[in-house]
Amino acid sequence: MPLLILSLRNHMSNQKVYWKGLEELHETPDFVQSRDNEFVEPLPMEEFLGKEDLGQTKTGRRDFLKFLGFSVTAAAVAACETPITKALPYVVKPENITPGVPNYYASTFFDDDDFANILVKTREGRPVLIEGANPETKEVRAGISAKVSASVLGLYDNKRLKDALKAGQPVAWTTADKEIGDKLAAIATAGKKTVVLTSTIISPSTKKAIADFQTKFTNVEHITHDVVSYSALPKANAAVFGKAVIPTYRFDKALAIASFGADFLGTWLDHNSYEGQFSVNRNPKKEMSRVFAFEAVMSLTGANADYRSAIKQSQIAHALIALYNKLSGANLAAANTPAEANIAKCAEYLKSKKGSALVVCGLNDVNAQIITAEINKLLGAEGSTIDFSTPLYTKQGDEAKVEQLFKDIASGTVEGLILYNANPVYNHPNAEKIKAAIAKMKLTVSFASCLDETAEVSGYVLPDHHYLESWNDYNPYAGHYAISQPTIHPLFNTRQAQESFLVWAGLGVRSDKNSTVYREYMKQVWNTSLFGKQSKYLTFDDFWNYSVHDGAFTSTSTEAVAAPSTGVATLPNLNDAAAKINATYKAGSGVEVVLYQKLGIGTGNQANNPWLQEFPDPISRVTWDNYVTMSLADMNELGLETIYGQERPANVVKVTVNGKTIELPAVASPGQANGTVGIAIGYGRKFGKGDELVGKNAYPLLTSVEGESRTYAFGASIEKTGEMYAIASTQTSHTMMGRDIVKETSLGQFKTNPLSGNHKHTFHTSITKLKNGKETHGHLSADEADFWKKFDRPNHNWGMSIDLNACTGCGSCVIACHAENNVPVVGKDEIRRVRDMHWLRIDRYYTSDTSNQMIDDAKGLSANLSIYNKAEVPSDNPQVVFQPIMCQHCSQAPCETVCPVLATTHSNEGLNQMTYNRCIGTRYCANNCPYKVRRFNWFKYHDNEKFDFYMNDDLGKMVLNPDVTVRSRGVMEKCSMCVQRIQYGKLEAKKENRRPIDGEIKTACQTACSSNAIIFGDYNDETSLVHSLRGEERSYALLEEVGTEPNVFYHVKVRNVDEAYYHGHEASHAGGEHGDAHGEAGHGDAHGEAKTEGHGAAH
Amino acid sequence: MHGESIYRKPLILGDKTYHQITEDICAPIEGRANKLWYLVFTMAAIAALWGVGCISYLIGNGIGTWGLNRTVNWAWDITNFVWWVGIGHAGTLISAVLLLFRQRWRMAVNRSAEAMTIFAVVCAGLFPLMHMGRIWVGYWTLPLPNQFGSLWVNFNSPLLWDVFAISTYFSVSLGFWYTGLIPDFAMVRDRQSVKWMRNIYKITSFGWSGTAKQWQRFEEVSLVLAGMSTPLVLSVHTIVSFDFATSVIPGWHTTIFPPYFVAGAIFSGFAMVLTLLLVMRKVLKLEDYITIGHVESMNKVIITTGSIVGVAYITELFVAWYSGVMYEQYAFLNRATGPYLWAYWIMMGCNVISPQVFWIKWARTNLIFTFFMSLVINVGMWFERFVIIVTSLHRDYLPSSWTMFYPTWVDVGIFVGTLGIFFTLFLLFSRTFPVIAAAELKSILKISGEGQKREFAAHGGFEHGHGHDDHGHAHHTSEGGHHE
């Protein structure tokens, strides 16, 4: 009501004018003078200043009391509370936003490499976290990679362009549109071509927008460029299966998998889906898949393989032929490889799993892919593990057209170039030529949202929205249509690229940054072309709303396969293919260069994301750089330093191939094939913050053979330069030193004895009767040998189970943890000083040639000395294990007892809590933590020029999770098991007057894990998954012999190998019965286990 | 007045009278310092200022200015802390334990040894303070009442016991030291002709007038404080060792630590006393009071405690092997042969092997050699703490977290700074305080003065003095005679 009166009053006052007298009405000169003079009488300033007693300090009693009163009040008011800045309450509260309660929106991520259905968590209108899509929604595939997780930070990148640019200067959108329109018309009139160069577009609406643009300007051609090309795959499939598509690979149906240089768990094709699928068949209690890997550079797939052969890149195709020969009995010509034994084993196994076997090859070489396809055909993979009915559309690049384009630019037939998600000046091997050609063109437009190498030389830069600000749709594989919706208003004066096409095509007018032109267009597209593909919803509005809500919809009608399909195999001549392979992959001289992608940086389009730069490479654990990976033998031959550390820099080597050189530090990589080097692409960006411009650009080393872009080059030479280069790595010791850290067993042993590989530590004791009345025979297990008082867990007892068999080490949990818990980025130099702040880390261990058995058997001082020195050195082709480590939330936590001020305490729900406010920073807790999971704030990491990452600017800070404190300098921090999520879940349950349901509360790491390796829950809830997992035979507590009684449990890794294990990671030693014996007590007394911390039974 | 066997070596050389002792001890206070003193003082003061600068830089920027990392969370800070606390032990041992053992030779050295204790504990105390990430809330380690009611300190934490141990140690040592100084300050006061200086000594001597009642109270207080100090000799470093012994880290989790740390502390403390006194007796011309005999006695303490430390080192190795715990075994193998083997072997060389030369009388009584050895032992004991802290932490349970530790200039700067603070304080002490407990010393002049003995012998003093002597002294155990 008062509002109404106010508005009435305003309304009236606008119409009527009141005056105070006739003078005002007539504006007499007197009145005007007095009105303009604010003070009718002049202020007695002169008089005041001229006062003689002004300089005197005498203060009257009343004045004194006044001053006193004022200063006391002022001081008291000022001392009350630090003023809060920049907190604006809602004047009108938006309907859907409740402060403190997150909203989730279904959306989609696609960056021409990763495709993921996602959930975006927003708080008070700003996206703060990306989670994998809800797996219960059948419409979507779950699973996100580190890159997808980290993409939310890109939204708040202060380097994003805030306006359209013309020749580097801000320009109005209308001006830019008009000028570009004129130029487009001029080019058309001149009979020249304009080319839209994009990365793969899987958006039906975007494609239609470009098509509409082409209708307006018929001289426009659309060319697709994939940075890493898969063009050989559809060609080979066309030849062998008659289907020129990339099929959907069903790793969830594969029980025998062979990978020839295809890192399907890490970076190959649709790896986001593959990882989750792969984990389905890695449960040792069901039928477990077996993986063979043949590769040159240790990849995530190789690290997870049961059998891995390190062979040169040039031998991969030969190995394929050898496998084909073994399977088919044919006798195609091929060179011998060192992997013959494993190939034979692989062939045998694949045969035995016919119908559920799958072979994948990572070479972009049509001949190699033909052999692969033939092998798959032999194995009956088509229709079972290879699904041609739902082809994958995420790679549609056409190298020939791109090559032609650059020729056309040079010859002058193409005068206009519009770049969407394309940065050829950076990521094309002929970057320099392209750069020069672009400069001469009439019109160049880049939609880059941050300045990049190509945008820099483009005439116009029309920054695109971030995907979290945009509408878009995606058709990643046949039948699946995903939607991304804006989760925040556009932050800057940007415009969606699609809208630009529509505006130029005359199909819309941009109002402002919130313009809805493309959304309306997209709805139209959905209405006309997709609404009919379903029968669930009767009205389009329902269809649209539910699709947006679910983030995706699956077509029920049969999809016409978009790519050309002859349906008839051309039956390639395999002898020809083999002959070509033999010609291409000769045992030439020189070193072979393999260009691989890192899981965090990928192709480099998020290279300025500090989370990803600080994300350790899963294999090397190195951050902030790319480098040359080499085998130990090769490094020794060149006289290179094989060990790096804080003050032990690596040698810089110069790799020369095809007349191009690159200088990078050399890093020893066990498992690297001798004679090959690996170099990650995606580094060496020129735009971004200073600290984020790391590494060297390896794209110039890409080769092109017969129109196929390839990520390897042969005949390289490598030489040591005199320089040294500091490497920042989070792990510098690489082996387990004979310790039972990651426990392992083989499938065979596991089948006969599920406790194999999980031997419990026992302690010799004279106690014969325990408190609980149980009799012992001189041996106590670690959990019984305990004299501590147990804590009560009356309500909940939170815990976590981590399946080391399911974990692939991909690290998406690490980034999810960063985002959820505001884990600061500390920069390369601090990482080099081993000060990473990661609450959750993934330890990677290589096996060494020294087995646990050998360490146990070593007698005498000198034998022990030499065995430990040997144990530090990884094998040439080691087995690899990954172990995610976060705070173990010990029930008897060593950190808690040593804190002098009770800053770290135990909750009655089993959590080890950290009270930042109370912490005085003695770091004693971190010293006393056997797991070394505590992280200290060595500096103030936010608002600090020295740490000029996202926490140093107001925009970047918008990504911070408001539920989690940003820690100050000098306090300790660590994994809280996402206590804020637990609390939220408990409150939600309480509101509904029930207990939390198992699976309802998830930690951030759990939500990011595609392979369900991390399970969180309540041990007190006997129906919970963690409760049952904890009771499983494979479950063990890390370092249980220390007596910390963790609430995090690990599950023994089971390798599907024939060889037996000696309670550890060595394939080559000892028999099964030896390992099994360790499940029982009552042996090994002779070795002095009389101490409470006996390593005991190991002897 | 009781005599002492003339066969016992006199503790005070030369023909001294009470007045002569007064003159000798007051000379440094009343005279002018020489150039060398100023030179050394300037160097020490610069180092101290540099240290203060480094500490300010540390507090201003964060603990990250040190070379610590996520695995090695303590290094030079706690090494220096334990080293300095250890050094302090000699003073307390001399003033309290040797008192109980009726070792009269302590009287010439206890004042400066106690001063050394105080200054060493000041330096030691700085490290736990500044190693805190948030020093401004360091007072939370005190069990202060607060508005949160139940939020108190954690009595389980050895660090908290450290707070109590160090603060108790400091206050008791200070009190004990100061009590002993009162009659000597009065002595200085009574001789002062400069008014303002006299006024200062007037205040510091608390109006001491030397009445019988004052002497009686003085003796009582001294006795009580000596009683309190004696257990502190054992308790302080025992508690410091608990920082390590109660942890779960291999190489730290060792029950041998308390006695081993106490022995090590006395070992290093005596080495530091020797370092200081060998210079001081020369510069301040106190050779008659701090004699070769004193040095030899202290060297005997050094060889005893050094041997205890050596046995402890070897016991650790034995227990590591005998325990069968692979982590423990590796920790010690790694110490001796790992990346920090140089630190381990410096420790072994300086602390176990080198003191054994003191079995040779020449070595015990050669001043220059002793001085050299005292430095060696100080270095060795610093490395002992470094080895225990850094080599245990840098490779503990999970190899994934293994790191190395590299000090930064701030680490070094602060250590040098505390050396500067220590020597600045000690140099100031040597020119403003009576560096020898004059009142105490005078109590043995008639018993153990060289001149007096000679006179006594000339008068045919008792020749079977031993038994008699001990007997005669039974009622003379308090803090010394006092009557001029």
Side-chain angles (χ1 to χ4, degrees), chain A residues 730 739 833-836 843 898-900 917-924 927-928 932 938 969 1041 1088, chain B residues 59 64 66 68-70 73-74 77 131 133-134 140 152 154 157 243 247-249 323 325 327 396-397 400:
Chain A
T730 58
R739 299 176 178 190
R833 293 170 194 277
V834 213
R835 290 174 181 169
D836 59 282
D843 287 348
V898 299
C899 175
N917 283 351
R918 180 66 174 171
C919 179
I920 59 171
T922 67
R923 303 182 300 289
Y924 196 176
N927 283 337
N928 208 25
K932 291 286 173 278
W938 302 102
R969 192 192 107 192
E1041 62 274 26
Chain B
I59 294 170
W66 281 343
L68 302 171
N69 57 49
R70 61 145 202 243
N73 283 279
W74 288 346
D77 46 357
H131 99 295
R134 302 201 295 164
W140 287 349
W152 228 23
N154 181 9
S157 170
D243 283 349
S247 78
V248 299
I249 302 302
S323 71
V325 180
Y327 305 115
D396 64 344
Y397 289 100
S400 67

Side-chain angles (χ1 to χ4, degrees), chain A residues 522-597:
Chain A
M522 198 173 123
K523 271 172 94 168
Q524 198 57 43
V525 173
W526 276 58
N527 197 354
T528 50
S529 55
L530 297 184
F531 181 44
K533 290 190 176 182
Q534 55 87 42
S535 50
K536 197 171 168 188
Y537 304 107
L538 292 175
T539 67
F540 173 70
D541 279 348
D542 273 357
F543 167 60
W544 172 255
N545 288 338
Y546 279 102
S547 297
V548 170
H549 173 268
D550 294 343
F553 116 89
T554 307
S555 151
T556 46
S557 64
T558 322
E559 284 279 308
V561 172
S565 170
T566 56
V568 185
T570 52
L571 297 176
N573 185 333
L574 292 184
N575 281 317
D576 275 3
K580 278 182 188 158
I581 284 171
N582 282 311
T584 316
Y585 304 103
K586 282 182 292 228
S589 60
V591 176
E592 300 179 1
V593 179
V594 181
L595 302 169
Y596 68 100
Q597 294 173 63

Side-chain angles (χ1 to χ4, degrees), chain A residues 594-718:
Chain A
V594 181
L595 302 169
Y596 68 100
Q597 294 173 63
K598 283 210 205 178
L599 256 71
I601 297 299
T603 56
N605 49 18
Q606 282 195 70
N608 57 352
N609 185 322
W611 283 349
L612 290 177
Q613 284 287 0
E614 201 155 297
F615 172 68
D617 178 74
I619 305 295
S620 70
R621 317 308 296 159
V622 175
T623 62
W624 290 100
D625 264 307
N626 65 344
Y627 38 80
V628 175
T629 63
M630 293 179 77
S631 75
L632 223 60
D634 285 353
M635 290 186 85
N636 287 333
E637 200 173 306
L638 272 174
L640 304 174
E641 182 69 58
T642 55
I643 296 168
Y644 54 88
Q646 180 180 335
E647 305 296 332
R648 294 182 76 171
N651 289 94
V652 175
V653 293
K654 184 169 160 189
V655 178
T656 311
V657 62
N658 298 332
K660 289 169 180 164
T661 62
I662 188 166
E663 283 189 22
L664 281 170
V667 167
S669 179
Q672 175 95 34
N674 287 340
T676 62
V677 298
I679 301 173
I681 53 173
Y683 284 84
R685 295 295 305 267
K686 278 193 193 142
F687 292 90
K689 281 183 182 168
D691 287 347
E692 291 156 19
L693 305 175
V694 287
K696 296 274 172 64
N697 184 0
Y699 279 111
L701 307 188
L702 286 176
T703 51
S704 179
V705 181
E706 292 178 11
E708 287 162 347
S709 166
R710 290 182 185 168
T711 52
Y712 41 89
F714 301 143
S717 68
I718 182 159

